[in-house]
Amino acid sequence: MVKYLTEYFPNTVRQTTPLGRAYRDPTDDSEHPFLALSVTTILGLVLNKGYGFDLWLKNNGRFADWIRDYKAHLGTAVHILCEHLLNGKEVSYGDISDGIQRHLSSQDIAEGGGYATVDRTVRLYLESFCKWYEENKVVTWDTELQLFDSRVPYAGTVDFIGRINGEPSILDIKTGTEVDSHEYQLVAYGLLHNYMFPKHKVKKLYTLYIKSGYRIKPTYKMKEVSWELEDDWKRIVNLAINIYGKDGRWKFAKKFEPRKKFKLKGVK
């Protein structure tokens, strides 16, 4: 790991809020601690996922939640195994099995077509990831890097930071289909990193789409994200704060707390 990251100790915890996931400093014991919404939460508040997602939701009806959860949990398992590979660890069949059992429920496995099918899907994703690594010059500085600064209203966790083909880069690994919001996500991470570490700026931003549906040989798509989206991301953040915040901070509605005792009036 490069020196500037070895000296960075992010002291953050993730917290669920009425608006979505947020990051905070656990040592901040003030009445109203600073909360930075996650990048993906902000994007979810401001942007919809488009016509394709709406059509998918309509077609899948009440099963949409099952499919969504399966894909999310599968993606988590694959992400963790990719992280192990980037950190120089060997991923064995036992590691894959453990990842599936740890992150996917019995409902997920049934949705995925049974254990054998899910297991094969994970291994296909890993073959795709290894193909990307073999075809590019990759030097890992850190994985799962939490970026948080109390002067910035958003935070996030970077899948990979390091050198890709000689350039300091941030990369996010995706197991799903391409969505426009992914590009804003990468720009947000890049801007936050470069704000926090102005002497060690990253130059390239990538989204890596790894695949499991190929038939002959592993495929992937590494998509470079343009810094020209910087102004668009800033507009998204400002819009979100205008709608869901006040005085530059996020505003959270007070959570309704049910009573501990109940009695109906007039009933004897």
Side-chain angles (χ1 to χ4, degrees):
M1 188 188 298
V2 294
K3 185 177 179 181
Y4 83 94
L5 290 178
T6 60
E7 297 172 348
Y8 169 58
F9 301 99
N11 189 24
T12 62
V13 293
R14 293 171 179 170
Q15 176 178 325
T16 300
T17 74
L19 294 179
R21 190 172 65 221
Y23 292 71
R24 68 176 178 86
D25 183 343
T27 64
D28 183 352
D29 55 2
S30 62
E31 185 178 356
H32 301 287
F34 174 79
L35 290 170
L37 284 187
S38 74
V39 172
T40 51
T41 294
I42 294 171
L43 289 169
L45 291 172
V46 175
L47 303 179
N48 63 37
K49 297 193 177 185
Y51 172 76
F53 177 77
D54 293 338
L55 183 62
W56 174 84
L57 198 62
K58 179 180 179 181
N59 289 340
N60 289 283
R62 65 188 181 90
F63 300 106
D65 287 350
W66 295 356
I67 300 170
R68 177 203 62 200
D69 291 346
Y70 161 64
K71 290 184 176 180
H73 300 156
L74 178 69
T76 297
V78 172
H79 268 74
I80 291 173
L81 294 171
C82 289
E83 180 185 343
H84 290 341
L85 290 170
L86 286 169
N87 288 321
K89 298 178 183 178
E90 180 182 72
V91 172
S92 67
Y93 188 77
D95 295 325
I96 294 170
S97 176
D98 181 66
I100 293 171
Q101 309 249 356
R102 188 182 299 271
H103 298 288
L104 282 82
S105 67
S106 57
Q107 176 62 58
D108 293 328
I109 292 172
E111 185 61 44
Y115 185 87
T117 302
V118 172
D119 167 77
R120 185 172 187 276
T121 298
V122 171
R123 288 185 288 118
L124 287 170
Y125 274 127
L126 293 180
E127 290 284 5
S128 174
F129 181 77
C130 290
K131 181 73 170 176
W132 163 78
Y133 187 88
E134 291 163 3
E135 293 185 347
N136 294 273
K137 296 178 180 178
V138 181
V139 178
T140 304
W141 292 348
D142 204 357
T143 58
E144 289 296 300
L145 176 68
Q146 289 190 2
L147 296 174
F148 173 87
D149 190 297
S150 60
R151 297 165 293 180
V152 180
Y154 69 87
T157 301
V158 173
D159 287 346
F160 166 93
I161 182 169
R163 287 190 180 274
I164 298 176
N165 299 324
E167 296 283 10
S169 305
I170 284 175
L171 176 135
D172 203 55
I173 302 167
K174 301 293 186 185
T175 54
T177 56
E178 293 184 43
V179 178
D180 290 344
S181 62
H182 293 164
E183 298 190 27
Y184 297 124
Q185 184 181 355
L186 266 292
V187 170
Y189 291 161
L191 290 172
L192 180 54
H193 173 276
N194 290 352
Y195 175 78
M196 294 171 62
F197 307 107
K199 294 182 180 179
H200 305 279
K201 292 183 177 182
V202 295
K203 295 183 179 179
K204 298 287 186 178
L205 306 170
Y206 295 104
T207 305
L208 174 63
Y209 295 95
I210 54 176
K211 310 291 184 180
S212 66
Y214 52 88
R215 292 175 178 269
I216 299 175
K217 62 180 181 179
T219 60
Y220 65 88
K221 180 177 180 180
M222 184 171 71
K223 183 177 181 180
E224 183 173 355
V225 176
S226 172
W227 286 100
E228 292 181 1
L229 293 173
E230 174 181 346
D231 289 340
D232 288 343
W233 166 247
K234 290 179 179 178
R235 280 191 285 269
I236 289 171
V237 175
N238 289 334
L239 176 60
I241 291 178
N242 286 337
I243 299 173
Y244 302 100
K246 185 178 181 180
D247 300 327
R249 291 172 67 99
W250 302 108
K251 185 177 180 181
F252 304 99
K254 189 174 181 180
K255 188 177 180 181
F256 175 79
E257 287 295 335
R259 292 171 286 168
K260 294 182 179 180
K261 293 182 179 180
F262 297 83
K263 182 173 176 58
L264 297 175
K265 293 181 181 180
V267 178
K268 296 182 180 180

